[in-house]
Amino acid sequence: MAGIRLPPEDSELPQPARPGPASVDLVSDDDRSVAADSWSIKSEYGSTLDDDQRHADAAEALLTSGNFRAAASDYSSDKEEPDADGVSSMLGLQSYWDSAYADELTNFREHGHVGEVWFGSDVMDVVVTWTRNLCIQIAQGHLPTDADDVKYESGEDGDKHLCGWSVLDIGTGNGLLLQELAKLGFSDLTGVDYSEGAVDLARNLADRDGYPNIKFLVDDILETKLDQQFKLVMDKGTLDAIGLHPDGNVKRIMYWDSVSRLVAPGGLLVITSCNSTKDELVREVENYNRRGGSQLLELEAKDNDTCRNPPFRYINHVRSYPTFMFGGSIGSRVATVAFLRS
């Protein structure tokens, strides 16, 4: 079970904060390698919205909401005394990912390499299997609670329940997460990424590996152009990287405003993070709910007078990641948490 965030070993310490690169050329191969090894995350989002009002609204919410200010302190620190959990990083900048995926696309074309699997293949296997079983149980009318374990369902019994699950992977990177979901029975699959290089790589890999029906689009979650909702939205490292942007606190608020519009009512949001524990993710959602879910609830209330439930509700988390004891508490370096959309 995910518990407290544990101090990384010396070999895993993130690089000190540095100014974001003014251009792709300023991100060296060595810097990219160190950053990727130190922060085992895949992320995409740090661009500035062309809708300045949404940025201003999020900043105002951050400054005026006492509830959300407490959550923001989990991800920031006083500028005079920065810590490893609150500093910004080049992994929060689009220029870093554009450069990284340009290299990975070249490596694919020249050598057939799939690129980096963020969090590692073992974690990805856990995420897709656990998510599949959770979706099947919900389709069968059983909503697991925090006290329940998500039970394994055999392929033949479970596949029939997955045909109605539309899936969106935000910050899809090389798209391998969607390929793994396809292997487990999901068929309506879409991946978005704000890096064109990532989308090109994902499309090439999907075509090569026999998954031409997976859709990949260039799209920024913070200013999404998607006009549909999805029954299952996956985030593997994207929220982590948003928090590493210099404006990470404001952009995290924008993230919740955008994601809440993409998850269909009764659908699931599954977040995998190495920078936040399960409890921190739950607290962030609770703070978002308390500040009213932006204008979302007001809009929904106009259509449905009885719609007064918070946008998201925590239902379960992965318990099978390796854990260890620190300071009397049990912790894990990765957390995967599922939230139900009202």
Side-chain angles (χ1 to χ4, degrees):
M1 180 174 68
I4 63 169
R5 182 191 298 109
L6 300 175
E9 298 175 0
D10 292 342
S11 62
E12 297 174 336
L13 285 173
Q15 297 300 297
R18 65 188 73 184
S23 68
V24 169
D25 293 336
L26 295 182
V27 182
S28 69
D29 291 340
D30 290 342
D31 283 344
R32 187 179 304 113
S33 176
V34 169
D37 290 341
S38 300
W39 296 85
S40 294
I41 68 174
K42 184 209 73 60
S43 99
E44 313 318 32
Y45 301 105
S47 64
T48 301
L49 291 178
D50 51 16
D51 185 347
D52 293 336
Q53 187 58 48
R54 289 183 61 205
H55 192 287
D57 289 345
E60 182 179 1
L62 181 67
L63 293 173
T64 61
S65 170
N67 288 332
F68 208 90
R69 189 181 304 115
S73 67
D74 295 334
Y75 308 101
S76 63
S77 60
D78 188 276
K79 292 183 179 180
E80 296 179 357
E81 297 180 355
D83 60 56
D85 297 327
V87 297
S88 62
S89 164
M90 60 186 173
L91 274 77
L93 302 173
Q94 181 175 351
S95 57
Y96 171 86
W97 296 105
D98 285 343
S99 180
Y101 283 116
D103 287 347
E104 292 197 352
L105 187 59
T106 298
N107 287 333
F108 167 77
R109 289 169 175 165
E110 295 179 354
H111 309 290
H113 294 170
V114 301
E116 195 75 32
V117 178
W118 299 101
F119 295 101
S121 58
D122 290 344
V123 169
M124 184 168 65
D125 290 344
V126 170
V127 170
V128 297
T129 302
W130 182 85
T131 300
R132 169 190 177 274
N133 295 334
L134 179 61
C135 291
I136 291 172
Q137 290 190 41
I138 292 176
Q140 293 174 334
H142 174 59
L143 185 63
T145 66
D146 192 31
D148 298 328
D149 232 345
V150 176
K151 298 178 176 60
Y152 174 77
E153 298 285 347
S154 64
E156 292 184 359
D157 293 336
D159 287 353
K160 62 183 180 182
H161 296 289
L162 299 177
C163 60
W165 286 82
S166 55
V167 181
L168 175 67
D169 181 24
I170 55 178
T172 194
N174 57 18
L176 293 186
L177 179 69
L178 291 175
Q179 289 195 29
E180 294 302 313
L181 288 170
K183 294 175 185 177
L184 294 182
F186 292 92
S187 57
D188 185 356
L189 300 163
T190 302
V192 296
D193 200 299
Y194 73 174
S195 172
E196 291 186 14
V199 171
D200 286 344
L201 177 62
R203 286 172 177 165
N204 277 278
L205 286 170
D207 288 342
R208 185 197 70 177
D209 297 338
Y211 299 98
N213 293 329
I214 299 178
K215 298 181 290 291
F216 293 103
L217 306 170
V218 177
D219 188 73
D220 185 338
I221 183 62
L222 297 184
E223 51 183 357
T224 182
K225 301 301 188 295
L226 297 176
D227 58 359
Q228 70 176 98
Q229 292 183 313
F230 298 83
K231 191 71 176 294
L232 171 63
V233 175
M234 304 288 293
D235 175 339
K236 186 163 70 71
T238 297
L239 182 59
D240 283 345
I242 288 175
L244 295 176
H245 189 274
D247 294 329
N249 292 337
V250 171
K251 289 181 179 294
R252 290 180 84 106
I253 297 178
M254 294 177 177
Y255 169 92
W256 289 107
D257 285 344
S258 293
V259 167
S260 63
R261 291 173 170 82
L262 292 173
V263 184
L268 288 176
L269 170 65
V270 177
I271 299 179
T272 299
S273 170
C274 69
N275 286 355
S276 299
T277 66
K278 168 253 182 181
D279 290 339
E280 287 171 332
L281 289 171
V282 171
R283 187 162 61 249
E284 186 167 359
V285 167
E286 290 173 345
N287 285 322
Y288 171 72
N289 288 339
R290 276 198 291 270
R291 69 181 182 89
S294 187
Q295 290 79 31
L296 182 66
L297 293 178
E298 296 178 12
L299 294 174
E300 291 179 341
K302 292 179 180 179
D303 298 328
N304 182 2
D305 291 338
T306 63
C307 181
R308 293 293 187 271
N309 294 324
F312 290 106
R313 175 164 64 93
Y314 161 75
I315 56 172
N316 216 305
H317 69 281
V318 169
R319 294 170 168 79
S320 59
Y321 293 131
T323 60
F324 44 91
M325 185 73 69
F326 180 82
S329 299
I330 298 177
S332 172
R333 294 192 184 276
V334 180
T336 296
V337 187
F339 299 94
L340 184 70
R341 179 70 168 86
S342 299

